[in-house]
Amino acid sequence: MEKLGVELEEEGGCDEEEDAARAMEQAEAGAAVSSPAVPGPAEPGGLPCLVPAGSPSSRVIVHMDLDCFYAQVEMISNPELKGKPLGVQQKYLVVTCNYEARELGVKKLMNVRDAKEKCPQLVLVNGEDLTRYREMSYKVTELLEEFSPLVERLGFDENFVDLTEMVEKRLQQLHSDEISALTVSGHIYNNQSINQHDILHIRLLVGSQIAAEMREAMYNQLGLTGCAGVASNKLLAKLVSGVFKPNQQTVLLPESTQDLIHSLNHLKEMPGIGYKTTKRLEGLGISSVHDLQTFSSKILEKELGISVAQRIQKLSFGEDNSPVTPSGPPQSFSEEDSFKKCSSEVEAKSKIEELLASLLNRVCQDGRKPHTIRLIIRRHSSEKHCSRESRQCPIPSHIIQKLGTGNYDVMTPMVDILMKLFRNMVNVKMPFHLTLLSVCFCNLKALNTAKKGTIDYYLTPSLSTTSRSGKRSFKMKDTHMEDLSKDKETNWDFLPTGRIESTRTGESPLDTISFSKEEDSDEFPLSSLPEE
């Protein structure tokens, strides 16, 4: 059984440090889908409007966000729940609820006791086992990939889709009179009028029709509803997707970009600007988007570094050239459990054994072998943003050979390794109070690519990437502290891509545990948006 951790559907917003730094890193070279300029609809004079299809302004990006995802999955599994106020419970929290419950005052991440007081007729289902949610989530992604190969998972309930190429193909198949008769699907932000002679407007209009087709297919084939935002980049698509909810979609035309950006009440509502960065900006007297737009670039670069300063100022103007990057297969599996208190080594070991057993089952099903193991803890803190710590080490080669074979002789040595990692972080001779434990298998390798008995593997960078488990995925090196937020609705940190890239681990080629530790850097993001 998978445990409640931070993958709270819709609510587990990860407010990581310097998300903006990694957010645009891949986009510096204009990493949008590149394709040659193609004829657009005719201008009034009859000449085609040529706009480079690979230019950032010409892209058509859709952000697809499923409505109360966990609750929808439960209602599909049990149709009798439809129409009733429904909450999905993980431990003592209602991690999400359907709209019937929301109308009666239930909110996401509400304490179960408070939710029942607010809505006595609330039906609660246990959502700690994420298996069905994960499976449905990947069905959604696979369905969207039928429309475009460029689909980037942002969590269990969110995906980015780059429709640029598909839009261009459709435009090439239309005559000018057919183009002039096109209508938008869904809402237009600010009720802005469409200029039929503006190729950018026409592209977004066609994108809205494809988004409607995707939502219709999602409902017909999977029974799921969701919201969509259609815009010229990922940042704007995500911001506009939530304007009309539930089960609706909204198009953002370029002229309304600043209106949308300035509708944000605070910088913390801006995707790509995390908790720590927000605090540092507030220390400079910057609390609104307008403040950031007009603040001295030189001072900002001095305070935050050139890379971070330039990227977050671009974000404040709605500029985001980061590509939609297909997520690909996961390179890590993680299981975690949160609790009110864990204060003994025996109790910690018991929880670690439970998490490890679940991970071993998943490795058997996946067929690949992990080469790194990581343990993550969270200490009790009165602050909303709690710190996590982690240690990792290579898995000894003789244990790797047994992984995935159903041979549970690996349990004892693996638990021993994890407990050494645990004691490396926690002084068990002193009182301690933990509220979360997580075990992660990283650097998954197919059997034919695993280099058994050689030193080569240990001399190359390892991977630490998003898990299909729906667990938080961490952009770590060896050890880090990260800031976590429980409120996704005020911290939409969707950048960078959900697939984490290679990082160096400092792993040892020897079959002994080598602990590695690295201080948190203020210049780079340490994690992606968690799944859910």
Side-chain angles (χ1 to χ4, degrees):
M1 174 175 292
E2 299 187 50
K3 299 299 181 181
L4 164 66
V6 287
E7 51 295 325
L8 303 176
E9 182 265 324
E10 294 191 307
E11 297 74 27
C14 174
D15 197 2
E16 311 299 354
E17 174 57 312
E18 271 60 62
D19 347 36
R22 186 68 61 185
M24 309 304 167
E25 200 155 312
Q26 299 179 39
E28 286 301 294
V33 180
S34 58
S35 55
V38 297
E43 291 284 9
L47 296 175
C49 173
L50 288 175
V51 178
S55 64
S57 64
S58 72
R59 290 192 301 164
V60 179
I61 309 296
V62 172
H63 175 253
M64 192 71 67
D65 189 359
L66 298 170
D67 300 323
C68 53
F69 177 52
Y70 287 9
Q72 280 204 80
V73 172
E74 295 296 341
M75 290 186 287
I76 291 171
S77 300
N78 184 2
E80 293 183 0
L81 296 174
K82 291 183 178 180
K84 298 179 181 178
L86 172 67
V88 178
Q89 178 179 354
Q90 290 181 346
K91 296 297 176 64
Y92 51 88
L93 293 176
V94 176
V95 294
T96 193
C97 55
N98 63 7
Y99 282 88
E100 287 82 355
R102 297 181 194 191
E103 291 174 359
L104 296 173
V106 181
K107 296 181 180 179
K108 296 176 289 186
L109 288 184
M110 181 177 277
N111 186 285
V112 168
R113 181 179 55 198
D114 296 338
K116 292 293 286 186
E117 289 179 0
K118 183 73 70 172
C119 177
Q121 65 270 45
L122 180 67
V123 178
L124 290 172
V125 295
N126 189 309
E128 292 188 19
D129 185 349
L130 302 180
T131 303
R132 287 181 298 120
Y133 308 142
R134 185 192 306 117
E135 291 174 351
M136 182 65 82
S137 171
Y138 273 89
K139 287 181 181 179
V140 172
T141 301
E142 290 167 4
L143 185 152
L144 296 177
E145 288 171 342
E146 296 176 8
F147 289 83
S148 169
L150 298 177
V151 179
E152 179 180 330
R153 290 172 58 81
L154 189 58
F156 273 20
D157 62 339
E158 297 182 61
N159 289 270
F160 284 115
V161 188
D162 190 326
L163 296 179
T164 307
E165 185 176 342
M166 189 174 184
V167 167
E168 297 301 337
K169 288 180 179 179
R170 289 204 180 183
L171 285 175
Q172 291 174 6
Q173 297 168 358
L174 296 175
H175 297 99
S176 58
D177 57 337
E178 293 175 308
I179 291 175
S180 62
L182 289 173
T183 56
V184 70
S185 291
H187 305 273
I188 299 179
Y189 186 78
N190 265 1
N191 290 318
Q192 184 183 333
S193 298
I194 290 180
N195 179 357
Q196 292 288 351
H197 302 299
D198 188 328
I199 182 62
L200 301 181
H201 284 210
I202 296 301
R203 283 193 175 110
L204 292 169
L205 188 153
V206 174
S208 76
Q209 296 183 336
I210 300 173
E213 293 169 16
M214 291 192 297
R215 291 174 55 241
E216 182 179 12
M218 206 162 58
Y219 182 74
N220 291 337
Q221 297 181 36
L222 302 175
L224 294 168
T225 65
C227 295
V230 184
S232 60
N233 65 46
K234 291 162 66 176
L235 168 71
L236 299 176
K238 181 164 177 66
L239 284 176
V240 82
S241 66
V243 174
F244 291 95
K245 301 175 82 171
N247 196 25
Q248 300 181 68
Q249 64 180 58
T250 312
V251 177
L252 177 71
L253 301 179
E255 294 80 2
S256 294
T257 294
Q258 292 307 306
D259 288 337
L260 176 63
I261 290 292
H262 286 289
S263 71
L264 303 180
N265 295 318
H266 197 280
L267 275 179
K268 63 184 179 182
E269 298 178 3
M270 174 73 74
I273 300 182
Y275 174 76
K276 283 189 177 180
T277 304
T278 299
K279 288 298 183 184
R280 294 174 71 181
L281 292 174
E282 288 176 342
L284 296 173
I286 303 171
S287 60
S288 69
V289 172
H290 180 264
D291 292 340
L292 182 55
Q293 289 178 340
T294 57
F295 196 78
S296 167
S297 298
K298 295 296 183 182
I299 298 176
L300 203 62
E301 290 174 3
K302 182 179 179 180
E303 293 293 327
L304 302 178
I306 295 176
S307 178
V308 172
Q310 290 181 352
R311 288 180 181 124
I312 65 174
Q313 273 199 318
K314 286 181 180 179
L315 286 177
S316 73
F317 287 99
E319 298 176 21
D320 170 21
N321 293 334
S322 61
V324 173
T325 306
S327 299
Q331 285 298 310
S332 70
F333 291 145
S334 64
E335 297 283 349
E336 62 183 54
D337 193 7
S338 64
F339 28 79
K340 291 186 176 180
K341 188 174 185 179
C342 172
S343 56
S344 73
E345 187 176 7
V346 172
E347 186 180 3
K349 183 177 181 180
S350 175
K351 292 181 183 295
I352 286 172
E353 288 173 340
E354 183 181 352
L355 297 173
L356 180 61
S358 181
L359 278 181
L360 290 172
N361 283 330
R362 291 174 60 188
V363 168
C364 286
Q365 296 170 6
D366 183 82
R368 292 174 296 165
K369 293 179 181 287
H371 285 64
T372 304
I373 189 167
R374 176 181 298 130
L375 180 68
I376 302 162
I377 68 170
R378 183 180 67 206
R379 301 179 192 271
H380 173 72
S381 173
S382 58
E383 296 183 5
K384 181 179 179 181
H385 289 76
C386 304
S387 294
R388 290 188 176 204
E389 303 168 51
S390 72
R391 296 291 186 278
Q392 70 178 37
C393 67
I395 300 174
S397 58
H398 67 279
I399 295 180
I400 292 176
Q401 294 174 14
K402 296 180 181 180
L403 289 172
T405 62
N407 185 344
Y408 282 84
D409 291 341
V410 300
M411 270 294 288
T412 299
M414 290 294 286
V415 170
D416 289 343
I417 291 173
L418 288 165
M419 291 310 297
K420 289 179 181 178
L421 294 174
F422 180 82
R423 287 187 289 270
N424 191 259
M425 287 184 283
V426 179
N427 184 352
V428 295
K429 296 180 180 179
M430 299 291 291
F432 61 87
H433 182 174
L434 304 181
T435 58
L436 178 140
L437 283 167
S438 174
V439 177
C440 179
F441 279 160
C442 318
N443 200 13
L444 296 165
K445 292 179 178 288
L447 295 179
N448 60 349
T449 62
K451 299 178 180 179
K452 297 181 181 179
T454 73
I455 197 171
D456 296 350
Y457 157 70
Y458 296 103
L459 299 181
T460 60
S462 69
L463 297 175
S464 171
T465 64
T466 301
S467 165
R468 286 200 182 198
S469 69
K471 304 298 180 182
R472 279 194 192 268
S473 306
F474 303 102
K475 173 71 180 182
M476 300 185 196
K477 294 198 177 176
D478 299 316
T479 302
H480 73 277
M481 302 280 288
E482 57 182 297
D483 295 296
L484 305 174
S485 167
K486 290 282 187 175
D487 189 358
K488 174 178 172 183
E489 293 194 344
T490 57
N491 289 285
W492 300 330
D493 298 328
F494 65 92
L495 302 170
T497 172
R499 182 179 58 180
I500 313 304
E501 301 162 302
S502 299
T503 52
R504 302 198 64 83
T505 63
E507 294 171 350
S508 166
L510 303 177
D511 287 347
T512 57
I513 297 176
S514 62
F515 302 106
S516 45
K517 181 176 181 179
E518 180 171 313
E519 294 301 320
D520 186 5
S521 167
D522 197 46
E523 289 299 319
F524 301 98
L526 298 177
S527 71
S528 74
L529 178 79
E531 303 231 4
E532 286 310 295

